[in-house]
């Protein structure tokens, strides 16, 4: 082998060695970014101890690091249940949660990916928690006491998901629907209540009108009574004289008599 060939072989071997060292170096560490946690698996077995943000050494080629997002996640989960009075109730919940960094190793061993966490843990536990909350009240209470329904749901869901390393931050009821039968019943009830209120109003109006009529009748009767007590024959004659204009009527009676009231001349003289 010539010196030139030997030099070429040495250069090639050096380049290969540098490449191997570089490859080993790239596979010997991992960088975990803020808001993430990693779980290292060696030969397919998850090792204890989560990897938090920073640079971590790992065995090259035989290890793998699964990265989990620790920031707030949001998913909408549908749920369906029956109330205490056996009415169908459906809802859609917006679940805000994050993963407990201290539990990511257990999550890796039991659930795997975030998609599995949502489909296998959060969705069914949301359904069960909603059943618990809805079964405690009637359909009308679910409407009028919606905040209490949500509180019961939050408590049940938080207790169930906490043991899986899932921390619930907030939930909100996106949609709450009832059966068509109940919607029709509510509408009919509202119509009946409006009719009842109208009937009460009409009855009160009629009662007030009747009372007013009675009061008017009593007033008229009292006025007539007082009038009868004050109208003496002398007063009637005096009123007739005061209203007489001093002229006799132009039309005589059938027998030629002059129609006029009977005047007592003695009394007229004294007056």
């Amino acid at each position: 082998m010539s010196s030139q060939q030997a030099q070429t072989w040495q250069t090639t071997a050096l380049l290969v060695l540098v490449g191997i060292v570089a490859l080993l170096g790239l596979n010997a560490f991992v960088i975990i970014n803020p808001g993430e946690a990693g779980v290292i698996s060696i030969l397919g077995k998850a090792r204890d101890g989560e990897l938090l943000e920073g640079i971590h050494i790992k065995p090259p080629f035989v290890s793998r690091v699964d990265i989990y997002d620790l920031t707030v996640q949001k998913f909408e989960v549908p749920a369906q249940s029956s109330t205490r009075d056996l009415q169908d109730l459906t809802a859609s919940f917006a679940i805000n949660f994050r993963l407990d960094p201290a539990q990511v190793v257990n999550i890796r061993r039991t659930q795997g990916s975030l998609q599995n966490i949502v489909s296998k843990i959060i969705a069914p536990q949301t359904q069960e928690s909603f059943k618990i909350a809805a079964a405690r009240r009637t359909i009308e209470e679910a409407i009028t006491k919606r905040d209490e329904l949500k509180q019961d749901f939050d408590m049940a869901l938080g207790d169930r998901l906490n043991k899986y390393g899932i921390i619930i931050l907030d939930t909100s009821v996106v949609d709450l629907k009832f059966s068509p039968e109940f919607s029709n019943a509510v509408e009919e009830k509202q119509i009946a209540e409006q009719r009842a209120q109208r009937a009460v109003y009409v009855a009160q109006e009629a009662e007030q009108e009747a009372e007013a009529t009675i009061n008017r009748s009593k007033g008229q009767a009292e006025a007539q009574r007082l009038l009868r007590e004050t109208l003496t024959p002398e007063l009637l004659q005096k009123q007739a004289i005061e209203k007489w204009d001093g002229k006799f009527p132009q039309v005589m009676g059938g027998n030629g008599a002059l129609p006029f009231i009977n005047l007592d001349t003695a009394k007229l003289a004294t007056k």
Side-chain angles (χ1 to χ4, degrees), residues 160-209:
R160 287 171 171 266
L161 294 184
N162 185 55
K163 61 183 179 182
Y164 293 101
I166 303 171
I167 301 174
I168 298 297
L169 302 176
D170 185 37
T171 66
S172 57
V173 183
V174 178
D175 193 14
L176 193 64
K177 295 182 179 179
F178 319 100
S179 64
E181 293 79 7
F182 177 74
S183 299
N184 294 334
V186 170
E187 183 177 358
E188 292 176 358
K189 181 179 179 181
Q190 291 176 345
I191 294 175
E193 289 178 351
Q194 291 176 356
R195 289 177 177 173
Q197 292 175 356
R198 175 61 181 170
V200 171
Y201 172 77
V202 172
Q204 290 177 346
E205 190 177 38
E207 182 179 355
Q208 293 175 355
E209 181 63 25

Side-chain angles (χ1 to χ4, degrees), residues 41 49 131:
S41 300
K131 287 182 179 180

Side-chain angles (χ1 to χ4, degrees), residues 8-264:
T8 301
W9 183 85
Q10 290 176 356
T11 303
T12 302
L14 181 61
L15 292 175
V16 171
L17 181 61
V18 170
I20 293 173
V21 172
L23 186 61
L24 289 173
L26 291 175
N27 283 273
F29 68 90
V30 62
I31 299 176
I32 305 298
N33 296 316
E36 294 179 342
V39 178
I40 184 172
S41 300
I42 300 177
L43 297 176
K45 184 178 180 180
R47 194 175 67 178
D48 292 337
E50 65 279 357
L51 306 179
L52 301 179
E53 59 179 284
I55 299 177
H56 301 271
I57 304 298
K58 68 182 183 70
F61 303 116
V62 295
S63 64
R64 171 186 172 182
V65 176
D66 293 287
I67 306 297
Y68 289 89
D69 191 349
L70 299 181
T71 60
V72 178
Q73 307 291 322
K74 180 180 179 180
F75 287 90
E76 286 192 14
V77 183
Q80 184 175 3
S81 180
S82 295
T83 57
R84 192 176 62 193
D85 51 352
L86 302 180
Q87 293 290 333
D88 292 333
L89 186 63
T90 59
S92 180
F93 290 93
I95 312 294
N96 293 337
F97 69 94
R98 64 179 179 86
L99 302 180
D100 186 354
Q103 297 290 330
V104 291
V105 175
N106 184 55
I107 292 173
R108 171 66 182 85
R109 289 171 176 168
T110 57
Q111 304 304 326
S113 65
L114 181 62
Q115 288 74 18
N116 287 342
I117 294 174
V118 174
S119 62
K120 296 181 180 181
I121 300 298
I122 296 180
Q125 295 302 334
T126 297
Q127 177 69 40
E128 291 301 317
S129 300
F130 183 55
K131 287 182 179 180
I132 293 174
R136 293 177 178 175
R137 46 188 51 84
T138 64
I139 189 70
E140 292 189 4
E141 291 173 342
I143 299 173
T144 57
K145 301 179 180 180
R146 190 166 175 170
D147 291 340
E148 296 181 7
L149 175 69
K150 180 180 177 299
Q151 290 176 1
D152 290 345
F153 169 78
D154 290 347
M155 184 177 298
L157 185 64
D159 293 341
R160 287 171 171 266
L161 294 184
N162 185 55
K163 61 183 179 182
Y164 293 101
I166 303 171
I167 301 174
I168 298 297
L169 302 176
D170 185 37
T171 66
S172 57
V173 183
V174 178
D175 193 14
L176 193 64
K177 295 182 179 179
F178 319 100
S179 64
E181 293 79 7
F182 177 74
S183 299
N184 294 334
V186 170
E187 183 177 358
E188 292 176 358
K189 181 179 179 181
Q190 291 176 345
I191 294 175
E193 289 178 351
Q194 291 176 356
R195 289 177 177 173
Q197 292 175 356
R198 175 61 181 170
V200 171
Y201 172 77
V202 172
Q204 290 177 346
E205 190 177 38
E207 182 179 355
Q208 293 175 355
E209 181 63 25
E211 185 176 354
T213 302
I214 293 174
N215 291 334
R216 286 195 298 267
S217 300
K218 289 181 178 179
Q220 292 174 356
E222 181 65 17
Q224 291 176 359
R225 184 186 67 79
L226 294 175
L227 184 60
R228 285 195 302 268
E229 292 179 355
T230 57
L231 286 179
T232 62
E234 292 79 4
L235 180 60
L236 290 175
Q237 289 183 358
K238 181 177 180 298
Q239 289 178 347
I241 293 171
E242 290 175 349
K243 291 183 179 180
W244 182 44
D245 57 359
K247 298 179 180 180
F248 290 101
Q250 299 297 323
V251 180
M252 297 296 183
N255 55 1
L258 180 64
F260 198 68
I261 59 175
N262 185 22
L263 298 179
D264 190 339

